[in-house]
């Protein structure tokens, strides 16, 4: 029996449980909204979470390891959480929520040395995804910080230009 034969039938159960664990990281008033709204336009966070969780589970299980697909799925989680008021551990911790769920649902099904080794490889893929997610999160936060700095500089320049138009201003060209 291949590891895919163990992981594939459990995919929906694992992904659903993981999504619920991710939703639990949000404040209570947000969690209800995330769970009940299925429209991607009214609930982009829920839509992104559903899409990314399924793709990342496929990557962890070894079914879809295309680097672009994996990066895109990670990016869906990371960019969203980078702009929210979360610590890095809260933002990246959602990936670690998958591990206990896998241990609860999948590990008991992995009898035998080969299946157990394949399961451990899946956990190693998850660890690699977490490291990549951390790099991507850091990059997203740096981009966000640079955007904020640019915005502040622009606002400062506007204030200086306005101040220069005011008579008697210390920054005006008139005395």
């Amino acid at each position: 029996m291949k590891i895919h034969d163990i992981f594939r039938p459990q995919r929906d159960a694992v992904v659903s449980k993981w999504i619920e664990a991710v939703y639990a990281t949000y404040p209570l008033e947000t969690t209800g909204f995330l769970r009940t709204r299925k429209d991607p336009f009214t609930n982009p966070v829920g839509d992104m979470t559903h899409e990314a969780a399924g793709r990342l589970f496929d990557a962890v299980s070894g079914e879809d390891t295309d680097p672009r697909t994996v990066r895109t799925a990670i990016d869906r989680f990371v960019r969203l959480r980078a702009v929210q008021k979360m610590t890095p551990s809260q933002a990246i911790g959602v990936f670690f929520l998958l591990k206990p769920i896998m241990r609860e649902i999948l590990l008991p099904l992995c009898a035998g040395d080969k299946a157990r080794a394949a399961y451990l490889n899946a956990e190693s893929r998850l660890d690699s995804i977490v490291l990549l997610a951390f790099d991507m999160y850091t990059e997203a936060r740096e981009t966000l910080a640079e955007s904020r700095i640019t915005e502040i500089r622009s606002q400062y320049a506007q204030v200086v230009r306005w101040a220069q138009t005011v008579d008697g201003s210390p920054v005006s060209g008139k005395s």
Side-chain angles (χ1 to χ4, degrees), residues 105-130:
I105 296 173
L106 299 170
L107 186 57
L109 302 174
C110 295
D113 292 341
K114 286 187 179 185
R116 190 83 43 160
Y119 173 84
L120 292 174
N121 284 336
E123 279 199 2
S124 292
R125 281 190 291 274
L126 177 59
D127 293 340
S128 296
I129 285 171
V130 171

Side-chain angles (χ1 to χ4, degrees), residues 126-144:
L126 177 59
D127 293 340
S128 296
I129 285 171
V130 171
L131 292 173
L132 181 58
F134 186 75
D135 289 344
M136 292 172 70
Y137 174 82
T138 303
E139 184 179 302
R141 290 296 294 218
E142 287 172 359
T143 301
L144 184 62

Side-chain angles (χ1 to χ4, degrees), residues 74-171:
I74 293 170
D75 190 59
R76 304 284 284 188
F77 267 117
V78 168
R79 283 195 189 275
L80 184 65
R81 297 176 82 81
V83 298
Q84 296 170 335
K85 301 230 186 274
M86 296 182 176
T87 64
S89 62
Q90 290 171 320
I92 302 302
V94 296
F95 297 100
F96 287 118
L97 296 174
L98 180 56
K99 203 174 271 193
I101 296 166
M102 289 173 53
R103 288 178 181 168
E104 174 191 337
I105 296 173
L106 299 170
L107 186 57
L109 302 174
C110 295
D113 292 341
K114 286 187 179 185
R116 190 83 43 160
Y119 173 84
L120 292 174
N121 284 336
E123 279 199 2
S124 292
R125 281 190 291 274
L126 177 59
D127 293 340
S128 296
I129 285 171
V130 171
L131 292 173
L132 181 58
F134 186 75
D135 289 344
M136 292 172 70
Y137 174 82
T138 303
E139 184 179 302
R141 290 296 294 218
E142 287 172 359
T143 301
L144 184 62
E146 288 170 9
S147 296
R148 288 179 179 156
I149 291 168
T150 301
E151 181 182 339
I152 290 168
R153 284 182 180 156
S154 175
Q155 289 173 348
Y156 175 76
Q158 287 175 333
V159 169
V160 168
R161 283 192 298 274
W162 173 79
Q164 289 172 342
T165 64
V166 176
D167 285 336
S169 169
V171 290

